[in-house]
Amino acid sequence: VQVGRIREYHNGETLYRIGDPPDGLYAVLSGLIRLVSYPNIGCELVAAVVNQGWLGEVSVIDRQPRRHDAIASGKVAVMKISLSDWRALVSKMPTFTEDLARLSCAHIRRQMDEIDALMTHGAEGRLSRLLLQLARPEPGQRNPVRVDLGQETLANLTGISRQRTNKLLRAMEALGAIRIGYSYIEVIGPDALAVLDFR
């Protein structure tokens, strides 16, 4: 934290792009970062969304280029630890290398959990589960919690068609669980979403 530098990003700004060399570690303090790749021309694939915590550790570990564009969704506050500062920290505290490996493993386990959910939950459960994960309030924050993602991205992350996602969101809105805005969702009734998650 002492060596990290905090910067705010606005919607659509990038922390790094596909093919960039590793330049350090990033921690999302508030807001959402989308990790995006482009498997085909005109096709955007959102691999993950980070709303709190670290990202960018894989390239720091294996020293390979970035695999995704890291793009801000809405207003985002990020702390960056540069690669040179990270190496200086590791030279003083070698256990940081093991800590970074544990962080990467935690991310892999989370992705496995997401795959499990994709295979075992219905569409409604997957969407409500995702919204609950992304709408975790920050300390002192009350409902509603805003999720700065459009319906196309939500559909992409849950493996549901755009049309089906819209219908499910409308049904959740009718229940009073969410409020739909332009390129964002407000979660106003997390308890109602939690019930949907277990159907």
Side-chain angles (χ1 to χ4, degrees):
V1 172
Q2 291 175 347
V3 301
R5 295 185 179 182
I6 297 175
R7 177 185 162 185
E8 287 191 347
Y9 291 81
H10 297 283
N11 188 54
E13 288 189 296
T14 57
L15 281 67
Y16 52 79
R17 294 188 177 278
I18 294 172
D20 285 350
D23 59 345
L25 294 168
Y26 295 83
V28 180
L29 306 179
S30 64
L32 298 173
I33 295 292
R34 294 180 296 127
L35 299 180
V36 181
S37 62
Y38 311 92
N40 298 303
I41 296 175
C43 176
E44 179 181 293
L45 177 64
V46 181
V49 174
V50 182
N51 63 329
Q52 290 176 0
W54 297 92
L55 71 151
E57 79 281 355
V58 172
S59 288
V60 172
I61 292 171
D62 67 11
R63 302 182 183 182
Q64 297 298 309
R66 301 292 190 186
R67 291 195 68 249
H68 301 93
D69 285 354
I71 306 172
S73 288
K75 188 176 180 181
V76 184
V78 174
M79 181 179 70
K80 177 183 177 182
I81 299 177
S82 71
L83 196 56
S84 59
D85 283 334
W86 170 254
R87 287 172 176 164
L89 287 172
V90 169
S91 68
K92 296 175 184 177
M93 301 182 69
T95 56
F96 274 13
T97 301
E98 187 176 339
D99 293 334
L100 194 65
R102 284 199 183 100
L103 173 69
S104 185
C105 289
H107 288 168
I108 292 170
R109 288 180 180 276
R110 181 179 174 182
Q111 288 178 334
M112 289 179 175
D113 288 342
E114 295 303 319
I115 293 171
D116 288 346
L118 192 65
M119 296 176 67
T120 58
H121 287 247
E124 189 177 39
R126 296 200 303 272
L127 184 56
S128 61
R129 185 174 185 272
L130 176 64
L131 290 173
L132 284 170
Q133 289 174 347
L134 297 177
R136 289 187 301 235
E138 297 175 17
Q141 185 180 11
R142 298 181 179 179
N143 295 325
V145 178
R146 178 167 162 149
V147 177
D148 283 304
L149 292 176
Q151 294 186 28
E152 190 72 38
T153 300
L154 292 173
N156 190 218
L157 287 167
T158 52
I160 307 170
S161 71
R162 171 68 173 76
Q163 293 78 10
R164 177 74 171 140
T165 299
N166 180 262
K167 288 181 180 179
L168 290 173
L169 290 172
R170 295 293 176 190
M172 292 174 184
E173 188 174 47
L175 289 173
I178 65 170
R179 184 181 301 117
I180 301 172
Y182 180 73
S183 292
Y184 70 89
I185 304 292
E186 284 185 336
V187 176
I188 56 180
D191 291 342
L193 280 182
V195 171
L196 292 174
D197 190 34
F198 291 104
R199 284 185 182 177

